[in-house]
């Protein structure tokens, strides 16, 4: 029986899950999507043969079932020997089929009544591709003329405008004002579900003002409805003088049935509100950047604080923490570690022999 040094985090995980880490199977792998002339999507994959720690399944254990997810919703429960599935285009005889737009698929496998994490998502566009804005996105904010501002941004109730030092929300100090700034108007943000991103922005004001930043579905609101966040990145932030750049790591997590899987819907938004009698002030957005967090890093330090290292398997399941990149106490295998270096969240793969 192999020995493993358990950190406090790992002990807590085992206590919560009621199982050892090596009871969890790896997720199906090598998910491949293809589409025929009728827009039916065929999925092909490989079944797992090991647990999350890299050990082979126990004698007599094998995959007994596979779940198929489309846009975060379970659409099929298959027998364990299944390695293909066809998701038909919605229509007569297939009322639960997929529709046009971006469709994202994931799989999960069951071994001895224990389900794996979902595999890395894969996506396919059904129908005509739409315009997207690739990352990193770092729009020009300063010195825009009225035409450039209107082409790149949407301001509800004309509450935001272009200024020499950035985009400005102005409150008159008398009536209540709630202003939404939404962009980019030139194409939706190219975000993938359950992927990690970094949002950086600087919002300053000549008074202490609260604002929120996040993602919106520009397909809404419908007529008569108010705008709302589909996902808040940073809520109730305080903007004062010299606020500095705020860095927020987030995971894009559209909800079940949310049309935000249509990429033209996913936009960035800032919402600032001024209650009646708050006094006259200007709020200024002078810097904005959204990037995808890289999965690897070549400049990993030899030793970092124990609280700064998180250890994952290749399927993204958190196994625990470590005091160094030697991963002392972990079984031989390949791991993904995440740590903080300065103000940056980094990741790298570590092979334990």
């Amino acid at each position: 029986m192999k020995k493993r040094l358990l950190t406090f985090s790992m002990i807590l995980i085992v206590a919560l899950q009621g199982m050892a880490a090596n009871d969890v199977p790896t997720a199906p792998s090598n998910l491949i999507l293809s589409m025929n002339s009728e827009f039916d999507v065929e999925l092909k994959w490989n079944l797992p043969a090991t647990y999350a720690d890299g050990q082979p399944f126990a004698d007599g254990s094998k995959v007994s079932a596979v779940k198929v997810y489309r846009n975060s919703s379970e659409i099929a429960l298959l027998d364990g020997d299944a390695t293909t599935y066809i998701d038909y285009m919605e229509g007569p005889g297939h009322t639960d089929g997929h529709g046009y737009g971006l469709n994202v698929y994931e799989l999960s496998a069951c071994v001895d009544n224990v389900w794996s994490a979902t595999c890395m998502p894969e996506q396919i566009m059904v129908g005509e591709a739409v315009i997207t804005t690739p990352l990193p996105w770092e729009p020009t904010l300063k010195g825009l003329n009225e035409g450039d501002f209107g082409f790149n941004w949407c301001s509800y109730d004309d509450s935001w405008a272009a200024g020499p030092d950035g985009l400005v929300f102005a409150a008159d100090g008398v009536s209540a004002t709630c202003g939404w700034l939404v962009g980019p108007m030139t194409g939706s943000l190219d975000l993938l579900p359950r992927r990690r991103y970094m949002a950086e922005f600087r919002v300053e004001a000549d008074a202490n003002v609260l604002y929120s930043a996040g993602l919106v579905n520009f397909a809404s609101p419908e007529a008569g409805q108010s705008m709302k966040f589909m996902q808040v990145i940073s809520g109730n932030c305080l903007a004062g003088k010299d606020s500095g750049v705020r860095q927020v790591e987030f995971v894009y997590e559209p909800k079940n049935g949310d049309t935000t899987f249509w990429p033209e819907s996913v936009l960035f938004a800032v919402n600032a509100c001024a209650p009646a009698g708050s006094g006259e002030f200007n709020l200024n957005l002078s810097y904005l950047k959204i990037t995808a967090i890289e999965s690897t890093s070549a400049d990993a330090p030899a030793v970092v604080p124990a609280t700064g290292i998180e250890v994952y398997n290749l399927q993204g399941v958190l196994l625990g923490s470590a005091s160094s990149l030697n991963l002392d106490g972990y079984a031989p295998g390949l791991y993904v570690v995440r740590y903080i270096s300065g103000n940056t969240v980094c990741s790298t793969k570590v092979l334990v022999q």
Side-chain angles (χ1 to χ4, degrees):
M1 180 177 180
K2 65 182 180 182
K3 296 182 179 179
R4 169 176 288 181
L5 178 63
L6 295 180
T7 65
F8 175 77
S9 297
M10 295 178 68
I11 294 173
L12 180 60
I13 291 172
V14 171
L16 291 175
Q17 294 182 343
M19 63 186 72
N22 62 358
D23 287 334
V24 180
T26 56
S29 59
N30 299 325
L31 174 60
I32 298 175
L33 308 179
S34 61
M35 185 167 55
N36 62 21
S37 60
E38 302 297 324
F39 296 133
D40 301 326
V41 177
E42 183 178 16
L43 293 73
K44 295 182 179 180
W45 61 88
N46 294 337
L47 294 173
T50 62
Y51 297 108
D53 63 356
Q55 298 298 312
F57 291 155
D59 292 341
S61 296
K62 63 179 182 178
V63 178
S64 59
V66 174
K67 288 181 180 179
V68 181
Y69 298 87
R70 182 212 312 132
N71 300 347
S72 292
S73 296
E74 181 183 336
I75 61 172
L77 178 62
L78 310 176
D79 292 335
D81 57 353
T83 56
T84 63
Y85 177 76
I86 296 179
D87 188 25
Y88 291 97
M89 182 70 183
E90 185 177 19
H94 300 291
T95 57
D96 57 350
H98 65 76
Y100 289 104
L102 187 69
N103 287 279
V104 182
Y105 294 90
E106 297 166 278
L107 304 168
S108 179
C110 182
V111 176
D112 296 332
N113 295 318
V114 178
W115 285 95
S116 73
T118 54
C119 66
M120 290 298 291
E122 295 293 339
Q123 64 179 12
I124 191 168
M125 175 62 67
V126 180
E128 184 178 356
V130 300
I131 298 175
T132 58
T133 298
L135 302 184
W137 177 51
E138 189 173 0
T140 300
L141 303 176
K142 299 180 180 180
L144 294 179
N145 59 40
E146 184 176 346
D148 289 336
F149 173 75
F151 180 76
N152 290 281
W153 297 91
C154 178
S155 172
Y156 284 85
D157 301 325
D158 297 324
S159 53
W160 287 80
D165 298 321
L167 307 185
V168 180
F169 169 77
D172 61 15
V174 179
S175 58
T177 306
C178 187
W180 285 89
L181 176 72
V182 177
M185 293 292 99
T186 53
S188 71
L189 295 175
D190 192 7
L191 303 179
L192 289 176
R194 283 168 295 286
R195 298 293 174 89
R196 292 184 176 273
Y197 299 93
M198 178 69 74
E200 303 174 66
F201 45 90
R202 179 191 289 116
V203 179
E204 298 174 303
D206 49 18
N208 289 328
V209 183
L210 291 177
Y211 70 94
S212 296
L215 303 175
V216 298
N217 173 6
F218 199 61
S220 65
E222 298 178 357
Q225 294 183 344
S226 60
M227 175 66 75
K228 63 180 180 180
F229 287 113
M230 73 179 203
Q231 181 174 337
V232 175
I233 294 176
S234 188
N236 294 324
C237 305
L238 183 64
K241 295 181 179 180
D242 302 320
S243 296
V245 175
R246 183 181 294 268
Q247 294 181 315
V248 183
E249 180 181 339
F250 70 97
V251 177
Y252 172 45
E253 295 181 328
K255 296 179 175 58
N256 292 351
D258 199 327
T259 56
T260 53
F261 278 98
W262 284 68
E264 66 266 37
S265 303
V266 186
L267 304 178
F268 178 82
V270 178
N271 180 32
C273 292
S278 60
E280 183 177 354
F281 68 84
N282 288 337
L283 181 143
N284 187 64
L285 173 65
S286 59
Y287 176 76
L288 173 62
K289 185 177 182 180
I290 297 180
T291 56
I293 294 179
E294 298 295 334
S295 59
T296 61
S297 175
D299 56 355
V303 178
V304 295
T307 56
I309 292 183
E310 295 176 339
V311 183
Y312 297 79
N313 63 25
L314 297 183
Q315 285 67 47
V317 176
L318 177 63
L319 301 179
S321 61
S323 58
S324 77
L325 292 183
N326 293 328
L327 300 190
D328 295 331
Y330 283 84
L334 189 61
Y335 299 88
V336 176
V337 299
R338 297 180 65 251
Y339 59 92
I340 298 175
S341 178
N343 293 323
T344 304
V345 179
C346 304
S347 300
T348 188
K349 292 181 180 178
V350 175
L351 177 63
V352 178
Q353 297 180 334

